[in-house]
Amino acid sequence: MLNINMQEHKPLRELVYEELRMLIMTGQIKPGTRMMEIDLAESMGVSRTPVREAIRQLEKDNLVTIEPRRGAYVSDISAKDMEDMLFVREPLEGLATFLAAQNMTDEELDELARVNTKYEEAYNKGETEALIQLDTHFHNLITDGSRNKYLINILKDLQEQVLRFRYIYFKSIRRAAEVIDEHRLILNNMMARNQEAAQKYSIDHIIKLRASIMREEDFHGQSERGEE
């Protein structure tokens, strides 16, 4: 049975939606997988109705594609999808880093440094799941540190979409070691309150990731329907 916490005070359709969404975002349900209402309902211990409603919501999130006479499938993702996402992240995260270098407190910068150290430790131990969570946390701290509520809302929404890509590129792209150095450059300039340099290295970080994705052969074909 899939992990649904029935103790949460939420409608059942929302609990089912959140569980399926996380399974798709983390790659546990792969792109191209058919979303069979009966099988999902049985594995979750619920009726088909909340599953059907969840699938419709996932379609609105572009995580599921519903095809006439064929049913619902987890949406494919491509290198082009990831490139487009990073193209949007590039200027926004640069701006957030520029603002955060000025607005974050010393204590918040120390926390950012601790997260980066934990990332290095996770890399040395080969802990992929921890790398993903710590990379997300690193960027979220910078976003929050911008103190700009409009920018925070945009980037937080974008980060949820980026999470699905992180589970792909941290497993298929040999980027983890490079990220350590790139994060360190961002962090060092933020701690020095050098806004322009911090912004530059933040943008460079995304540019390098985007370039890696487009040349990384291991990524291409990851989202082919039916691939195990």
Side-chain angles (χ1 to χ4, degrees):
M1 183 176 293
L2 298 180
N3 182 29
I4 294 183
N5 184 0
M6 296 296 187
Q7 301 304 313
E8 290 192 37
H9 300 294
K10 295 181 180 180
L12 184 57
R13 65 178 180 277
E14 188 173 342
L15 293 175
V16 172
Y17 161 73
E18 290 177 353
E19 176 66 12
L20 290 177
R21 185 176 185 278
M22 183 54 62
L23 290 172
I24 292 172
M25 297 286 277
T26 58
Q28 295 178 67
I29 299 181
K30 297 180 182 299
T33 300
R34 189 172 182 184
M35 304 290 282
M36 301 290 292
E37 289 181 13
I38 296 177
D39 293 343
L40 290 170
E42 182 177 337
S43 67
M44 290 180 154
V46 299
S47 69
R48 293 177 62 180
T49 299
V51 173
R52 184 180 305 115
E53 292 173 344
I55 289 174
R56 287 173 181 164
Q57 183 59 48
L58 291 166
E59 182 188 25
K60 293 179 181 178
D61 294 342
N62 296 317
L63 293 174
V64 164
T65 300
I66 299 177
E67 300 179 0
R69 297 183 298 277
R70 295 197 63 185
Y73 294 84
V74 176
S75 298
D76 290 341
I77 49 179
S78 66
K80 181 60 165 59
D81 292 326
M82 195 182 295
E83 183 189 24
D84 288 347
M85 181 72 70
L86 292 171
F87 190 77
V88 174
R89 276 183 67 191
E90 184 184 310
L92 294 177
E93 291 214 13
L95 176 59
T97 305
F98 179 88
L99 295 173
Q102 179 184 44
N103 295 327
M104 288 180 76
T105 66
D106 291 343
E107 291 74 18
E108 288 171 330
L109 288 172
D110 287 342
E111 174 62 17
L112 191 64
R114 282 192 288 272
V115 170
N116 200 44
T117 298
K118 289 179 181 178
Y119 179 96
E120 294 185 35
E121 293 171 352
Y123 169 74
N124 291 330
K125 295 177 182 177
E127 297 174 344
T128 301
E129 181 71 26
L131 286 173
I132 293 166
Q133 299 302 323
L134 290 165
D135 182 62
T136 302
H137 191 29
F138 182 89
H139 288 280
N140 282 341
L141 286 173
I142 293 175
T143 297
D144 289 337
S146 72
R147 304 288 195 270
N148 185 305
K149 65 181 180 181
Y150 301 102
L151 183 58
I152 290 170
N153 288 338
I154 293 170
L155 278 172
K156 285 296 177 68
D157 182 63
L158 190 59
Q159 283 285 9
E160 287 200 0
Q161 300 300 320
V162 170
L163 179 62
R164 191 183 185 198
F165 297 142
R166 279 193 170 98
Y167 275 88
I168 293 176
Y169 67 68
F170 268 105
K171 292 179 180 179
S172 65
I173 295 177
R174 296 174 291 276
R175 279 277 302 160
E178 296 173 355
V179 168
I180 293 173
D181 293 332
E182 291 164 17
H183 279 185
R184 190 180 295 121
L185 284 170
I186 296 168
L187 174 63
N188 289 346
N189 281 282
M190 290 182 68
M191 297 189 80
R193 304 295 181 176
N194 189 334
Q195 291 176 268
E196 290 79 8
Q199 180 181 32
K200 173 189 180 300
Y201 286 118
S202 177
I203 291 173
D204 286 349
H205 173 52
I206 304 300
I207 289 174
K208 289 175 181 177
L209 176 56
R210 187 153 51 90
S212 294
I213 288 164
M214 297 314 296
R215 68 170 179 264
E216 178 57 53
E217 294 181 359
D218 289 345
F219 175 82
H220 298 280
Q222 286 280 323
S223 60
E224 292 298 322
R225 177 164 294 167
E227 180 173 315
E228 296 298 324

